[in-house]
Amino acid sequence: MFEMDGEMDKKKKKKKKINKKEKMEGMKKEMDIVSKRQTPQGFRGLTSAFAAQVLERDGPNELKPPKGTPEYVKFARQLAGGLQCLMWVAACICFIAFGIELARGNVTCFDNLYLAITLIAVVVVTGCFGYYQEFKSTNIIASFKNLVPQQAIVIRDGQKNQINAHQLVVGDLVEIKGGDGIPADIRIITSQACKVDNSSLTGESEPQTRTPECTHENPLETRNIAFFSTTCMEGTVTTGMIINTGDRTIIGRIATLASGVGNEKTPIAIEIEHFVDIIAGLAIFFGFTFFVVAMFIGYAFLEAMIFFMAIVVAYVPEGLLATVTVCLSLTAKRLARKNCVVKNLEAVETLGSTSVICSDKTGTLTQNRMTVAHLWFDNHIHAADTTEDQSGKSFDQSSETWRSLARVASLCNRATFRPDQEGVPIPKRLVVGDASETALLKFTELTVGNIVDYRERFKKAVELPFNSTNKFQVSIHELDDPLDLRYLLVMKGAPERILERCSTILIKGQELPLDEQWSEAFQTAYMDLGGLGERVLGFCHLHLNEKEYPRGCPFDPDEMNFPTSGLCFAGLISMIDPPRATVPDAVMKCRTAGIRVVMVTGDHPITARAIAANVGIITEGSETVEDIAQRKRIPVEQVNKRDARACVISGGQLKDMSSDELDEALRSHPEMVFARTSPQQKLIIVESCQRLGSIVAVTGDGVNDSPALKKADIGVAMGIAGSDAAKNAADMILLDDNFASIVTGVEQGRLIFDNLKKSIAYTLTKNIPELTPYLIYITVSVPLPLGCITILFIELATDIYPSVSLAYEKAESDIMNLKPRNPRQHRLVNEALAVYSYFQIGAIQSYAGFTDYFAAMAQEGWFPLLCVGLRPQWEDVHLQDLQDSYGQEWTFSQRLYQQYTCYTVFFVSIEICQISDVLIRKTRRLSVFQQGFFRNRVLVSAIVFQLLLGNLLCYCPGMPNIFNFMPIRVQWWFVPVPYGILIFVYDEIRKLGVRRFPGSWWDQELYY
Amino acid sequence: LTRDEGKYDGWRTFVWNSEKKEFLGRTGISWLKIFLFYVIFYGCLAGIFIGTIQALLLTLSNYKPTYQDRVAPPGLSHTPRSLKSEISFSLSDPGSYMKYTETVENFLAKYDELRQADQMKFEDCGDSPMSYTDRGSLDSDQGQRKACRFHRSLLAGCSGESDPHYGFKDGKPCIIVKLNRVVNFRPKAPANNQTLPDPLQTRSQPNLIPIFCKNKRDEDVDKIGEIKYFGLGEGFPLQYYPYYGKLLQPQYLQPLVAIQFTNLTRDQELRIECKAYGANIGYSEKDRYQGRFDVKFTITS
């Protein structure tokens, strides 16, 4: 951990150095050019030849895709999981055993070779499966990449050219206007009301002004640098000089930072490793025990060694890998249908175990679109409809004041819709203009109606755009009534500035003098709206005197030859980037599911807090330390921090906190909001959560999120708004950018965890009836009851479908009301599961198999007691007249086919018991009757499939000599049925006990 | 490194946790409880298992096998058995064929006249092939059944009475052939002569399963010389059938045929296939001992 931090520090320092150096370089070059310039029009830019040289030196201006892991490494990684390693070891053992057999001259025994080949085949095939999944989702991501290359206007050789943005080089002069993407890191040289949207880089949703002045040391804070991949929101022709291109841009550096963060093991991978430990332990234990037993009985060392290997190999659940892979990919598919694309199969489950979600605000929780949220007029705060589809309730629009306010808002607005968007719903239309004007435009379009037409009616006489010194915007219009020749002056701006200029206030259509009382009312409303984290604008108007300002009066915006005081105050309108409609519900669901949602944003603390409160991350009634201090009127230091449920920490505060303090804060405040955080701080927050033992999901879309996405146990990137860097770093992608999809992911993840448990229990059970024949064969020397090929058929053919069908099982209880599993306590495969499957159900299945085996042997003439110790003679190839219990003489081949009959009978017994097994595995706690026998259609069809395949194997001609299956008598199918019923009844009793006596000995030992 | 140590420590506390007095994660009481549970559990299971097996055995007859589809048609087995799939010996080294003559001697000991003296157990069934001897139904009502005598002297030159070396010493080895026993199996004589090899067609008899050997490989046709058949009618006479099983006919002797290869080419590997011919004697691709066998001789001088 410390090393990690150290590294980060070093990186940071290094970065700063590089930063400064490059900045210096950039500045020097700029100086050269600046000294040559005469007028702003005199920029000549680089010469094409020089640009070509620089291009050759620096490479194209594009983010190098993170050094993609070579495909073969990706594939090899698929072959190196926990289970895969187990299978490799088993395959090696098989080869060794085969080698030993071959060396001893036993040429006939190819079972070990087949087994080894099958094991390898299974690993490779499932590896291909996983690889394909990864490949497919990578393709989905790739399809999101912009197909149209970004264009940029560059000045070279004194001429403006439009070229591909990746041709740009350091030193190039570029021109940007509102709506353009910034093609590289540039330093602004000239600008006019230029604003950029830095949300993809810093997470701030507010557009930032860009001017040629350097205002800060830190390149991220200074106003004269615009960054690659951000967009210019407004402003006419801004010129800038490129100071960094490609991977050397700020965004490129963050992307590189992400690639430096190691990937965490997924919880399911940890679970599988734990499980492999159990399996391997048991296998070696069993193998060793029987090795000793075999030596004791009197086998030769080499023979005992072969037994040892065979037992270890028999313990490997060959089918499990396939089952797990298929179950996971089924869920991945199901999730993809619900717009969650999973890049890594194992990540499917991770969301299910997630206990903390660190969510980015802008774009994930919010719509990433300024929208009018509240209005204050007639001394009331009215709430506007902020839903995405305008399905919410609107406010009372009958008041005369509203009409005036709407008129001001409509007219005093420079934003316009882009053309040709008639079919698009108003909130989704593209607009030219800054965020708040856009919001107002859309709002008025929705409430007043056709604004273009409306503005036509009120012809604009003059306009003074917003600037930072005045902090207001004013325009003068003719009235739509042709008889009324007065001019109308409309003004909007910072509320306090607007109020200063007003002498009256409009209340219910009446102009009342603006006295102390109204001033106070205004102050309260302003504070209230500001406290909601909203951006508030004031609006006022004035009908100009007809005589003083007749038609055609020459208004001059520079001289302001019109009144700017004594106006009539119309009202306040406040805007916010509102939460997505589905988010509060989703956050609520997360909360009931025991998942903490932590907001981590680059935005302002007040806005962050307001949105957090809005979506339920900070619940009603929760207070921060500051709130308590304010309520109790005591200093902040005296408040007991534990009383505060909520906590808002800004990046500045975070910088001064030690990791212990951060841990403590996360531990003591259940509701956390981090504001104004940098990419590194996001990483620190994620690490802190992980230190506290949480499994952390991080959602984000910006490049700034990508290191945290990578560090998280599961990174969730947004498909639409998300940057490529974020998508590359993430494990999962929400195609619809909807936070609510995460809840689906959580639900599916939890379900698959439960169902995998069932599948694994089902798959493991038959290991015992596959192993015991061999153990009995060694110790009691009966003819071999179950052959290796038959086992492979059970593992890889008949039982795969039923075990996969358990993935379709519905949840037993409302899994979204449970706490996330504790990764240390609730294991995928715990001892109870292994013990119950192996030593109870597996034992019953073994008995069923042996009953059927002895029945088949006895009915053909070999009584049980005769079988004991028969092995050496039975397997003697040259003995052609071995006597059975009736004195009949059998040739070797006759005995061999009888042995195959036994294999088949044992196979059938396992199949019958496994049908019972799959039925009991449907539930772990509920009775199967409560769960419904036929509700899982897939499972029913799986049982039918299993039976049909079993019949096919038994009765298809030619099977005896290819796969050692014999057509067996009908009654042998029914011998194991009572055992199947026994399994079912016993498990129902177990579940009854578990339900009736929670916490009892029975529950502890038998609930898995 | 620290992680490994942690793991090792974890193991140690797992094996014996002195704090909680836990051995392998359980206290003594806990172990006792779980042990008791499994004793009861496996006890019940074993009870059920033994019960089912007992019930199964009750359904079986002690005299008549429930099914015989795996054991019939019968195999044809021979003594001495080929070891490592061939019979090879050297005339100059008596030790090389000792093992063969010994097994034949042991095998034929059952057929000593003295052993067949008991009139209560044996009876004479005639000197020429005759039809089946019916000794009643396959159950215990009539108690034990008699068996037909088969004197080893019927095997003449291969009986071991005149030549204790069964021809091995002279390079003319005898092998004794028997049709494997199958309870209640009545072999049928060949239905028509057309299917038989030429030499047999002339000397076919109605109640006899004839046996005939020939070279397996065509190129050996001149190398195997004359083959002599000894026994009652040079085949398996039908009066010895059916067999009533181990309980009803413990002393049963199945008829034998001795085959002597009188003029095998020396110092060469020769493959000979012998087949028994009968209407219900079948052969199988996969089972080289069903109704036939092949044997490889290598005699060195």
Side-chain angles (χ1 to χ4, degrees), chain A residues 215-401:
Chain A
T215 55
H216 205 283
E217 279 272 303
N218 185 343
L220 273 174
E221 301 275 338
T222 184
R223 284 208 174 155
N224 62 339
I225 293 180
F227 300 105
F228 182 34
S229 89
T230 60
T231 45
C232 178
M233 298 305 287
E234 57 180 295
T236 48
V237 192
T238 300
T239 4
M241 166 175 291
I242 295 180
I243 53 172
N244 281 318
T245 58
D247 284 335
R248 291 167 300 278
T249 55
I250 295 288
I251 209 122
R253 284 189 207 137
I254 295 178
T256 336
L257 178 64
S259 63
V261 175
N263 241 333
E264 296 288 300
K265 255 184 201 161
T266 59
I268 197 84
I270 294 169
E271 287 306 316
I272 285 177
E273 259 169 37
H274 169 77
F275 158 65
V276 167
D277 280 354
I278 294 184
I279 296 262
L282 277 174
I284 290 169
F285 169 74
F286 264 82
F288 186 73
T289 311
F290 279 85
F291 174 77
V292 172
V293 168
M295 290 295 281
F296 199 69
I297 290 175
Y299 284 101
F301 174 78
L302 210 58
E303 221 163 341
M305 206 59 215
I306 288 175
F307 288 156
F308 172 78
M309 292 175 184
I311 289 169
V312 171
V313 172
Y315 231 96
V316 175
E318 293 91 352
L320 195 68
L321 184 56
T323 305
V324 171
T325 313
V326 175
C327 284
L328 289 179
S329 50
L330 272 178
T331 309
K333 226 173 157 187
R334 215 178 296 166
L335 283 174
R337 231 175 291 142
K338 295 185 175 163
N339 290 323
C340 303
V341 173
V342 180
K343 269 168 70 182
N344 172 4
L345 270 190
E346 284 174 350
V348 164
E349 190 276 331
T350 313
L351 266 185
S353 356
T354 296
S355 45
V356 173
I357 298 177
C358 290
S359 180
D360 186 36
K361 180 183 83 74
T362 314
T364 311
L365 298 174
T366 64
Q367 302 171 12
N368 196 13
R369 179 162 55 210
M370 271 291 173
T371 309
V372 170
H374 291 98
L375 303 96
W376 180 76
F377 60 82
D378 290 350
N379 200 18
H380 276 291
I381 290 178
H382 302 264
D385 179 10
T386 54
T387 55
E388 284 147 284
D389 51 358
Q390 292 300 309
S391 56
K393 251 179 39 195
S394 198
F395 54 96
D396 178 28
Q397 299 182 356
S398 59
S399 162
E400 194 62 38
T401 319

Side-chain angles (χ1 to χ4, degrees), chain B residues 186-205:
Chain B
R186 292 162 195 251
K188 289 182 187 139
N192 59 17
N193 285 344
Q194 308 306 317
T195 54
L196 297 180
D198 298 336
L200 282 184
Q201 287 187 359
T202 52
R203 50 191 170 102
S204 76
Q205 297 174 54

Side-chain angles (χ1 to χ4, degrees), chain A residues 174-224:
Chain A
V174 284
E175 255 187 36
I176 303 144
K177 56 184 188 308
D180 285 352
I182 311 282
D185 282 1
I186 57 176
R187 169 164 216 191
I188 310 290
I189 296 174
T190 62
S191 75
Q192 236 175 28
C194 173
K195 280 191 177 178
V196 290
D197 175 12
N198 270 357
S199 63
S200 80
L201 190 63
T202 59
E204 292 161 301
S205 53
E206 296 265 329
Q208 312 284 310
T209 312
R210 283 296 174 260
T211 57
E213 293 92 53
C214 176
T215 55
H216 205 283
E217 279 272 303
N218 185 343
L220 273 174
E221 301 275 338
T222 184
R223 284 208 174 155
N224 62 339

Side-chain angles (χ1 to χ4, degrees), chain A residues 265 273 277 835-836 838-841 843-844 847-848 850-851 854-856 858-861 863-864 866 876-881 883-894 897-898 901 961 966-967 969 971-972 979 982 986 1001-1002 1005-1006, chain B residues 3 7 26 30 33-34 37-38 41-42 45-46 48-49 52-53 56-57 59-77 81-85 107 178-183 243 245-247 254 286-290:
Chain A
K265 255 184 201 161
E273 259 169 37
D277 280 354
V835 165
Y836 181 69
Y838 278 151
F839 298 125
Q840 298 185 25
I841 302 300
I844 301 178
Y847 277 114
F850 276 103
T851 310
F854 282 124
Q859 293 201 324
E860 291 287 358
F863 286 6
L866 182 71
D876 184 346
V877 184
H878 303 294
L879 184 59
Q880 302 298 343
D881 52 357
Q883 287 195 13
D884 66 12
S885 303
Y886 294 98
Q888 308 184 99
E889 292 170 329
W890 294 60
T891 65
F892 175 75
S893 293
Q894 286 168 341
Y897 282 111
Q898 173 61 22
T901 308
N961 299 318
M966 295 290 285
R969 293 179 184 282
Q971 70 265 33
W972 293 334
Y979 285 95
L982 177 69
Y986 175 64
W1001 179 85
W1002 186 268
E1005 295 291 345
L1006 295 179
Chain B
R3 205 184 141 198
K7 226 172 182 178
R26 284 176 186 278
S30 171
K33 275 184 182 168
I34 201 81
F37 174 81
Y38 276 102
F41 183 82
Y42 285 126
L45 268 186
I48 293 171
F49 178 70
T52 350
I53 295 290
L56 165 78
L57 290 180
T59 66
L60 299 177
S61 155
N62 278 330
Y63 308 104
K64 187 182 181 336
T66 319
Y67 303 110
Q68 293 177 297
D69 52 345
R70 296 268 163 264
V71 70
L76 194 65
S77 52
R81 280 153 58 187
S82 42
L83 294 168
K84 285 187 178 164
S85 69
F107 177 73
K178 70 182 195 308
L179 202 58
N180 276 354
R181 295 178 198 177
V182 175
V183 169
Y243 170 49
K246 202 153 107 181
L247 287 179
Q254 66 227 80
K286 296 287 164 190
D287 186 355
R288 287 185 293 116
Y289 282 87
Q290 196 176 74

